Amino acid sequence: MFEEQRPRRVVPRWRLSRITAQTAEARSRKPGRSVDFSAELANKQMEFEFQPTVPVASELMFLASEAGDDKTARTAATLIVGNEEKIGATSLVATAKRVLEGGHQSSSPSSENFVRDARRSLALDFRNPVLLMDVARELTAKGHGKAALRYVRTAVSLAPLSRFVVRAAARYYLHMGDHEQAHDVIKRSPLLSSDPWVQASEIAVATLRGRNSSYTKRAIRKLSELKTIGVDLSELASAVGTVELNEGAERKAKQLFVKSLVDPNDNSLAQAEWAATRLKLVVDAKVLRTPFSFEANSNNAYRRLMLPEAIDFAKQWSDDEPFASRPLNTLTHLYCLEERFAEARASVEAELRLEGSSIGSAHLNRLFIRIQEGDLDNAYAELQRVAAGPDSKNHAVHILADAGALAYATGEATLGRELYQSAIKAARIRGSPMEEASARAYFARAAVMYDDPSAASIVQEAVTNVERLPNPGAIHVVRRLVDSDQRKKLESVAEKRVAKVRWTWDSITNTLKSLE
C-alpha cells in the first residue's frame, strides 16, 4: 500500500456560500476595484429595496459579507429569517441566522435535502448566482457533475465580478477534468487584473495545464517588496512559491512559503504542509489553528506519526470537500497504515465512485486491501487488470509490490521476495524514495506476517533504510515490527523531521540527510 505522490497546487477551495462567507476569502476586499465593487453592492441594495425577495436577499447577504458590510448583510439576513416558514430553504435560513449571530460552524451541509430546498428557492427567481453555485456543488458531490454544468454556467454569466463564483466555477471545471475551461473562466474575469485571490487561482491552474502565467513574475516582484504579508496575499505567495519549487528554485520558494505562513488561510497552510519536508519548513501549532485547516492538520499529524489524529482530520477534510478524491485517497492510506482494512475498503470504494473507471492508484489500493482481507481470487483478477492497463508503467513500483504481497498471501514466499525486491529496485531507478521506503516497509511486514525464514534480515534492512528515506508511513509500518529501542529510534527520526532540523537532499542516493 503506497501513499500517492500527487502534486498539489493552490487551486481554490469550493465550499457552500454560507461557509465561504465565514472565511478570509469573503472578508478580504478586492484591491484596485473599490469603485466597481461599491457600485455592484449599491445596485444589489437598490434591487433589494424594490424587490425584497429571498433570492435577492441571499445574494445581497453574501456580497455584503464579502465586502465587510456587516450592517447590510444583517439586513438581508433578517428578511430571510423572517420568511423561514414560507420559503423552507433551510440552508439559507441557517446561513442567515449565523450572519445575525456572528457564529462560526462546521463545513457540512445543514440539510440532507439541500438541493431540493435550494431549487425551491431558485424557482422563485433563477437570478441568484450564489445559490446556483451551492446547488452545483451539492450535485457534484453526489456524482452528478454533468447536471451541475448549467448551474455553473448561469452563475458565471450572472456574477462575473463575484470572487466566490469565479473561483468556485474554476474548481468545478478542474474537478470535471476540463482544465482549459477552468483557466478560461479565471482569465475572462475582470477581477484577474487586481484581485490576488483570483491571481493565485490563475497561476495554480496555469501550472496544471503546463503553462507559464504572466502574473507569476509581477507577483514575485510585489511579494519581494513586502517584509510580511496578510492573509489576502497568502494564497498568491504559496502559488508562486510552488512554481519556484517546481523549477528548482528552492531558496526563493522557501522565502515565499515562509511569508505565506505569517497569516495563512487553510489553503495556503495546506500547501506549506505539502512542501514542508522538501523545503525544511516548520509549521507551528499556532498556524495549524487556522479555521478549516483539516488537510494541513491531517498531514502534520501524519508526519508526527499521530495516525488516529491524522484520520480524524482527514475525515473532516473529506466532509469539507465531498466532491474531491484526494481526501479519500489520504484516508485510505491512513487506514491501511493502521490496518483498519474494512474502513479502508469503504474509503477507496467512495474514491472510485468519484474517479470513474480509469485505472489508477485507487484500483491499486483496492487490490492491496483485498489481499489483506483474504479476497485473493478478486485480488488476482484485479492485479491482471491493472498490470494490463495503459498506465501500468507509471504504477510499476506499486504493481510489483502488490504482486509480492499476493505471492506471500498464497504461500509463495520466494516469489514474494523477488517481487518486492524488484519493486525496491524499480523505485530506486525511478528516483522515488517515498515509494522505495513503502516497498521496504511492506516487504518487512509481509515477511513477518507469513513467517518468511529471512524475516529478521528483511526487517533489519527495512529499519536501516527507512531511517534515511523521507516517508513517515514507512516508519510507522516498520516500528510495529521491532523492539522498543529500535521503535524509539525510528520515532525520533520522524520527530526531528517535523522539528527545526536542517536537512539536505542527496541527489546521488535520492535520500534526505541531516546536517546535524
Side-chain angles (χ1 to χ4, degrees):
M1 168 64 201
F2 299 104
E3 177 185 25
E4 185 177 351
Q5 295 175 271
R6 188 186 302 180
R8 191 187 190 282
R9 313 291 186 197
V10 194
V11 298
R13 299 290 197 195
W14 184 14
R15 296 185 169 105
L16 291 172
S17 59
R18 67 180 178 83
I19 304 302
T20 304
Q22 303 172 32
T23 66
E25 176 186 348
R27 294 192 300 271
S28 176
R29 294 182 180 274
K30 304 175 181 64
R33 61 177 300 273
S34 58
V35 175
D36 290 341
F37 187 74
S38 297
E40 181 185 2
L41 184 57
N43 287 337
K44 187 56 60 179
Q45 287 176 296
M46 186 179 298
E47 181 181 357
F48 178 71
E49 290 177 7
F50 284 97
Q51 189 183 9
T53 64
V54 171
V56 175
S58 62
E59 186 177 355
L60 178 61
M61 181 174 66
F62 177 80
L63 290 173
S65 296
E66 189 177 27
D69 187 344
D70 294 336
K71 182 179 179 181
T72 300
R74 286 195 295 271
T75 298
T78 299
L79 183 139
I80 295 171
V81 173
N83 286 273
E84 180 175 2
E85 294 183 5
K86 194 179 301 181
I87 61 175
T90 57
S91 183
L92 283 177
V93 172
T95 304
K97 288 179 177 179
R98 292 186 185 96
V99 169
L100 293 173
E101 296 168 0
H104 179 81
Q105 299 293 328
S106 67
S107 60
S108 59
S110 63
S111 171
E112 291 296 322
N113 299 309
F114 174 80
V115 173
R116 185 199 66 193
D117 294 340
R119 280 174 169 158
R120 184 184 303 165
S121 183
L122 287 170
L124 300 174
D125 184 349
F126 205 69
R127 295 175 298 131
N128 188 339
V130 174
L131 191 55
L132 286 166
M133 287 308 304
D134 283 351
V135 173
R137 182 183 182 275
E138 293 306 296
L139 287 171
T140 304
K142 289 177 169 61
H144 306 303
K146 291 183 179 179
L149 177 59
R150 69 188 183 97
Y151 293 91
V152 174
R153 285 175 172 170
T154 305
V156 173
S157 66
L158 289 172
L161 290 175
S162 169
R163 177 192 293 157
F164 166 75
V165 170
V166 170
R167 280 167 46 98
R171 184 65 184 86
Y172 163 79
Y173 285 115
L174 288 177
H175 173 75
M176 298 301 292
D178 193 344
H179 294 183
E180 182 177 355
Q181 186 60 38
H183 203 190
D184 286 346
V185 166
I186 298 173
K187 289 193 298 182
R188 289 197 301 264
S189 172
L191 301 175
L192 181 57
S193 62
S194 59
D195 191 324
W197 296 88
V198 178
Q199 289 170 359
S201 299
E202 193 276 332
I203 292 170
V205 176
T207 58
L208 278 173
R209 297 185 65 197
R211 306 286 181 86
N212 294 320
S213 170
S214 62
Y215 286 91
T216 302
K217 289 185 178 179
R218 67 183 78 178
I220 290 174
R221 288 196 299 270
K222 177 180 181 179
L223 294 167
S224 63
E225 295 171 357
L226 302 171
K227 291 184 179 180
T228 61
I229 63 174
V231 68
D232 58 317
L233 294 175
S234 62
E235 279 198 17
L236 184 61
S238 56
V240 176
T242 303
V243 173
E244 297 282 39
L245 178 62
N246 291 337
E247 293 180 353
E250 295 191 359
R251 182 182 176 186
K252 292 180 180 178
K254 185 171 183 179
Q255 290 173 344
L256 288 162
F257 276 112
V258 168
K259 285 185 176 181
S260 77
L261 287 172
V262 173
D263 188 10
N265 75 334
D266 64 281
N267 200 8
S268 57
L269 176 57
Q271 193 71 8
E273 252 298 328
W274 170 81
T277 298
R278 184 171 171 184
L279 293 179
K280 307 94 183 175
L281 287 170
V282 177
V283 181
D284 62 34
K286 180 180 178 181
V287 295
L288 286 169
R289 292 195 293 270
T290 300
F292 304 108
S293 295
F294 312 124
E295 179 185 356
N297 275 278
S298 180
N299 189 45
N300 187 269
Y302 164 70
R303 294 197 297 125
R304 290 184 288 114
L305 302 184
M306 305 292 290
L307 274 295
E309 183 179 337
I311 288 171
D312 288 342
F313 278 116
K315 288 179 180 177
Q316 294 179 75
W317 175 22
S318 184
D319 289 340
D320 192 34
E321 297 192 89
F323 54 87
S325 62
R326 190 171 189 133
L328 292 170
N329 184 269
T330 298
L331 265 176
T332 301
H333 174 61
L334 295 171
Y335 281 137
C336 285
L337 289 174
E338 286 284 87
E339 301 184 6
R340 294 162 58 175
F341 295 114
E343 291 161 294
R345 176 165 30 86
S347 64
V348 81
E349 292 293 351
E351 181 184 359
L352 286 167
R353 286 193 292 273
L354 290 174
E355 289 288 281
S357 58
S358 58
I359 294 176
S361 67
H363 288 85
L364 288 159
N365 292 342
R366 184 171 65 180
L367 166 58
F368 175 82
I369 293 164
R370 282 176 168 166
I371 295 169
Q372 303 310 308
E373 292 189 320
D375 186 7
L376 302 185
D377 290 338
N378 282 324
Y380 181 72
E382 184 124 48
L383 176 61
Q384 289 183 309
R385 186 163 57 254
V386 297
D391 296 326
S392 59
K393 288 185 179 180
N394 296 331
H395 303 290
V397 178
H398 201 157
I399 291 171
L400 286 167
D402 278 351
L406 184 57
Y408 266 114
T410 54
E412 299 287 344
T414 300
L415 178 60
R417 282 195 300 273
E418 292 174 357
L419 288 166
Y420 268 118
Q421 288 164 351
S422 295
I424 293 167
K425 182 179 179 181
R428 291 181 66 82
I429 291 173
R430 288 162 61 94
S432 179
M434 295 288 285
E435 288 186 307
E436 180 187 344
S438 286
R440 289 185 180 279
Y442 279 105
F443 181 18
R445 178 180 176 275
V448 171
M449 180 181 296
Y450 296 104
D451 298 320
D452 188 323
S454 304
S457 61
I458 294 170
V459 170
Q460 286 309 306
E461 187 174 356
V463 170
T464 300
N465 282 280
V466 298
E467 287 181 6
R468 65 180 179 83
L469 296 169
N471 188 326
I475 290 177
H476 179 71
V477 172
V478 174
R479 71 173 175 172
R480 292 183 164 195
L481 308 174
V482 297
D483 59 33
S484 60
D485 290 339
Q486 287 184 309
R487 188 180 307 120
K488 290 178 182 177
K489 184 179 179 182
L490 289 171
E491 290 168 351
S492 176
V493 169
E495 183 179 351
K496 287 179 179 178
R497 288 176 181 172
V498 181
K500 293 184 179 181
V501 178
R502 294 190 301 139
W503 298 86
T504 184
W505 188 261
D506 187 333
S507 61
I508 303 299
T509 61
N510 287 306
T511 58
L512 197 67
K513 293 184 176 180
S514 173
L515 295 178
E516 297 185 358

